[in-house]
Amino acid sequence: GIVHRIDKDTSGVLVIAKSDLAHKGLSEQLAEHSMKRVYNAIVYNSFSEESGTVDRNIDRSKNDRKKMAVVMQGGRNAVTHYKVLDEKNGYSLVSLILETGRTHQIRIHMKYLGYPLIGDYLYNPDMEQIQRQALHAWKLSFVHPITGEKMQFTAPLPEDMAAVLYP
């Protein structure tokens, strides 16, 4: 079964367990935050700081049930660490590490900071660069639940995202 999900139109790596025992072990790692997930995103604007952490709660938007939003009271804890990898043509390529895994967490946290993802039809609908949000699950690492072996998987930046920065 599927161990974790990624947003619709997000590219990259996923973990799928082949047995109930493996699924249980992988799900526990995800819940304990020992499974490391690193994403790449392309956002509008240049960052004022090269790296940082967003620690803001997220809850369903009061204005639109399809959206999530940063909230000052209530909601669920959400933590995203970011590091700028490159900046070109008014865009930034950012590496993002999730401590938590809330619905639309990266998309919401980046918009909250003033760096919305390009192509994000839901949270920044005036985007025209690509036909989806520029979000890619780049690296996933965990301990194999049966053998105890450290595992790491990566997926290269997809062509549609790379073309924005490196036409």
Side-chain angles (χ1 to χ4, degrees), residues 94-107:
V94 186
S95 174
L96 302 130
I97 298 175
L98 296 176
E99 243 182 69
T100 55
R102 307 295 175 225
T103 301
H104 301 172
Q105 177 175 324
I106 290 171
R107 296 161 69 186

PDB file of all heavy atoms in Angstrom, residues 94-107:
ATOM      1  N   VAL A  94      14.253  26.034  -4.583  1.00  0.00           N
ATOM      2  CA  VAL A  94      14.365  25.875  -3.141  1.00  0.00           C
ATOM      3  C   VAL A  94      14.294  24.398  -2.773  1.00  0.00           C
ATOM      4  O   VAL A  94      13.489  23.645  -3.323  1.00  0.00           O
ATOM      5  CB  VAL A  94      13.214  26.624  -2.423  1.00  0.00           C
ATOM      6  CG1 VAL A  94      13.381  26.596  -0.918  1.00  0.00           C
ATOM      7  CG2 VAL A  94      13.105  28.052  -2.917  1.00  0.00           C
ATOM      8  N   SER A  95      15.154  23.991  -1.835  1.00  0.00           N
ATOM      9  CA  SER A  95      15.097  22.655  -1.245  1.00  0.00           C
ATOM     10  C   SER A  95      14.293  22.773   0.041  1.00  0.00           C
ATOM     11  O   SER A  95      14.516  23.681   0.843  1.00  0.00           O
ATOM     12  CB  SER A  95      16.517  22.166  -0.939  1.00  0.00           C
ATOM     13  OG  SER A  95      16.463  20.944  -0.246  1.00  0.00           O
ATOM     14  N   LEU A  96      13.350  21.849   0.238  1.00  0.00           N
ATOM     15  CA  LEU A  96      12.451  21.912   1.393  1.00  0.00           C
ATOM     16  C   LEU A  96      12.422  20.572   2.111  1.00  0.00           C
ATOM     17  O   LEU A  96      12.233  19.530   1.478  1.00  0.00           O
ATOM     18  CB  LEU A  96      11.050  22.280   0.923  1.00  0.00           C
ATOM     19  CG  LEU A  96      10.995  23.606   0.174  1.00  0.00           C
ATOM     20  CD1 LEU A  96      10.250  23.462  -1.126  1.00  0.00           C
ATOM     21  CD2 LEU A  96      10.396  24.675   1.048  1.00  0.00           C
ATOM     22  N   ILE A  97      12.616  20.618   3.408  1.00  0.00           N
ATOM     23  CA  ILE A  97      12.555  19.405   4.219  1.00  0.00           C
ATOM     24  C   ILE A  97      11.346  19.518   5.141  1.00  0.00           C
ATOM     25  O   ILE A  97      11.199  20.497   5.873  1.00  0.00           O
ATOM     26  CB  ILE A  97      13.846  19.217   5.038  1.00  0.00           C
ATOM     27  CG1 ILE A  97      15.044  19.047   4.109  1.00  0.00           C
ATOM     28  CG2 ILE A  97      13.701  18.006   5.976  1.00  0.00           C
ATOM     29  CD1 ILE A  97      16.380  18.985   4.828  1.00  0.00           C
ATOM     30  N   LEU A  98      10.500  18.505   5.081  1.00  0.00           N
ATOM     31  CA  LEU A  98       9.308  18.482   5.920  1.00  0.00           C
ATOM     32  C   LEU A  98       9.600  17.810   7.249  1.00  0.00           C
ATOM     33  O   LEU A  98      10.122  16.701   7.283  1.00  0.00           O
ATOM     34  CB  LEU A  98       8.187  17.701   5.229  1.00  0.00           C
ATOM     35  CG  LEU A  98       7.646  18.271   3.932  1.00  0.00           C
ATOM     36  CD1 LEU A  98       6.620  17.320   3.354  1.00  0.00           C
ATOM     37  CD2 LEU A  98       7.052  19.634   4.167  1.00  0.00           C
ATOM     38  N   GLU A  99       9.247  18.488   8.329  1.00  0.00           N
ATOM     39  CA  GLU A  99       9.249  17.841   9.634  1.00  0.00           C
ATOM     40  C   GLU A  99       7.900  17.198   9.878  1.00  0.00           C
ATOM     41  O   GLU A  99       7.783  16.178  10.524  1.00  0.00           O
ATOM     42  CB  GLU A  99       9.524  18.889  10.732  1.00  0.00           C
ATOM     43  CG  GLU A  99      10.797  18.633  11.470  1.00  0.00           C
ATOM     44  CD  GLU A  99      11.023  19.639  12.560  1.00  0.00           C
ATOM     45  OE1 GLU A  99      10.283  19.622  13.564  1.00  0.00           O
ATOM     46  OE2 GLU A  99      11.966  20.432  12.397  1.00  0.00           O
ATOM     47  N   THR A 100       6.859  17.845   9.375  1.00  0.00           N
ATOM     48  CA  THR A 100       5.494  17.338   9.473  1.00  0.00           C
ATOM     49  C   THR A 100       5.002  17.146   8.043  1.00  0.00           C
ATOM     50  O   THR A 100       5.696  17.500   7.104  1.00  0.00           O
ATOM     51  CB  THR A 100       4.604  18.356  10.210  1.00  0.00           C
ATOM     52  OG1 THR A 100       4.716  19.611   9.541  1.00  0.00           O
ATOM     53  CG2 THR A 100       5.028  18.508  11.663  1.00  0.00           C
ATOM     54  N   GLY A 101       3.842  16.623   7.879  1.00  0.00           N
ATOM     55  CA  GLY A 101       3.330  16.393   6.531  1.00  0.00           C
ATOM     56  C   GLY A 101       1.867  16.758   6.415  1.00  0.00           C
ATOM     57  O   GLY A 101       1.024  15.896   6.253  1.00  0.00           O
ATOM     58  N   ARG A 102       1.569  18.021   6.492  1.00  0.00           N
ATOM     59  CA  ARG A 102       0.187  18.490   6.404  1.00  0.00           C
ATOM     60  C   ARG A 102      -0.216  18.693   4.938  1.00  0.00           C
ATOM     61  O   ARG A 102       0.623  18.924   4.076  1.00  0.00           O
ATOM     62  CB  ARG A 102       0.014  19.809   7.161  1.00  0.00           C
ATOM     63  CG  ARG A 102       0.496  19.778   8.580  1.00  0.00           C
ATOM     64  CD  ARG A 102      -0.317  18.824   9.441  1.00  0.00           C
ATOM     65  NE  ARG A 102       0.289  18.755  10.766  1.00  0.00           N
ATOM     66  CZ  ARG A 102       0.499  17.646  11.427  1.00  0.00           C
ATOM     67  NH1 ARG A 102       0.144  16.477  10.902  1.00  0.00           N
ATOM     68  NH2 ARG A 102       1.034  17.669  12.617  1.00  0.00           N
ATOM     69  N   THR A 103      -1.495  18.645   4.696  1.00  0.00           N
ATOM     70  CA  THR A 103      -2.017  18.861   3.355  1.00  0.00           C
ATOM     71  C   THR A 103      -1.568  20.220   2.821  1.00  0.00           C
ATOM     72  O   THR A 103      -1.763  21.234   3.492  1.00  0.00           O
ATOM     73  CB  THR A 103      -3.560  18.783   3.368  1.00  0.00           C
ATOM     74  OG1 THR A 103      -3.956  17.504   3.850  1.00  0.00           O
ATOM     75  CG2 THR A 103      -4.136  19.011   1.977  1.00  0.00           C
ATOM     76  N   HIS A 104      -0.945  20.222   1.661  1.00  0.00           N
ATOM     77  CA  HIS A 104      -0.485  21.428   0.964  1.00  0.00           C
ATOM     78  C   HIS A 104       0.532  22.236   1.766  1.00  0.00           C
ATOM     79  O   HIS A 104       0.725  23.428   1.516  1.00  0.00           O
ATOM     80  CB  HIS A 104      -1.664  22.332   0.591  1.00  0.00           C
ATOM     81  CG  HIS A 104      -2.675  21.685  -0.289  1.00  0.00           C
ATOM     82  ND1 HIS A 104      -3.874  22.287  -0.599  1.00  0.00           N
ATOM     83  CD2 HIS A 104      -2.702  20.483  -0.927  1.00  0.00           C
ATOM     84  CE1 HIS A 104      -4.585  21.503  -1.382  1.00  0.00           C
ATOM     85  NE2 HIS A 104      -3.893  20.390  -1.591  1.00  0.00           N
ATOM     86  N   GLN A 105       1.211  21.600   2.702  1.00  0.00           N
ATOM     87  CA  GLN A 105       2.103  22.309   3.623  1.00  0.00           C
ATOM     88  C   GLN A 105       3.132  23.198   2.931  1.00  0.00           C
ATOM     89  O   GLN A 105       3.259  24.380   3.254  1.00  0.00           O
ATOM     90  CB  GLN A 105       2.820  21.305   4.529  1.00  0.00           C
ATOM     91  CG  GLN A 105       3.824  21.937   5.471  1.00  0.00           C
ATOM     92  CD  GLN A 105       4.420  20.925   6.425  1.00  0.00           C
ATOM     93  OE1 GLN A 105       3.741  20.011   6.870  1.00  0.00           O
ATOM     94  NE2 GLN A 105       5.688  21.087   6.755  1.00  0.00           N
ATOM     95  N   ILE A 106       3.874  22.650   1.974  1.00  0.00           N
ATOM     96  CA  ILE A 106       4.909  23.441   1.305  1.00  0.00           C
ATOM     97  C   ILE A 106       4.284  24.593   0.547  1.00  0.00           C
ATOM     98  O   ILE A 106       4.757  25.740   0.627  1.00  0.00           O
ATOM     99  CB  ILE A 106       5.748  22.549   0.360  1.00  0.00           C
ATOM    100  CG1 ILE A 106       6.616  21.590   1.175  1.00  0.00           C
ATOM    101  CG2 ILE A 106       6.591  23.403  -0.585  1.00  0.00           C
ATOM    102  CD1 ILE A 106       7.317  20.533   0.344  1.00  0.00           C
ATOM    103  N   ARG A 107       3.224  24.329  -0.169  1.00  0.00           N
ATOM    104  CA  ARG A 107       2.573  25.359  -0.970  1.00  0.00           C
ATOM    105  C   ARG A 107       2.083  26.514  -0.089  1.00  0.00           C
ATOM    106  O   ARG A 107       2.247  27.692  -0.432  1.00  0.00           O
ATOM    107  CB  ARG A 107       1.422  24.734  -1.752  1.00  0.00           C
ATOM    108  CG  ARG A 107       1.914  23.694  -2.763  1.00  0.00           C
ATOM    109  CD  ARG A 107       0.831  22.756  -3.216  1.00  0.00           C
ATOM    110  NE  ARG A 107      -0.161  23.435  -4.029  1.00  0.00           N
ATOM    111  CZ  ARG A 107      -1.272  22.846  -4.452  1.00  0.00           C
ATOM    112  NH1 ARG A 107      -1.530  21.590  -4.145  1.00  0.00           N
ATOM    113  NH2 ARG A 107      -2.127  23.513  -5.180  1.00  0.00           N
TER     114      ARG A 107
END
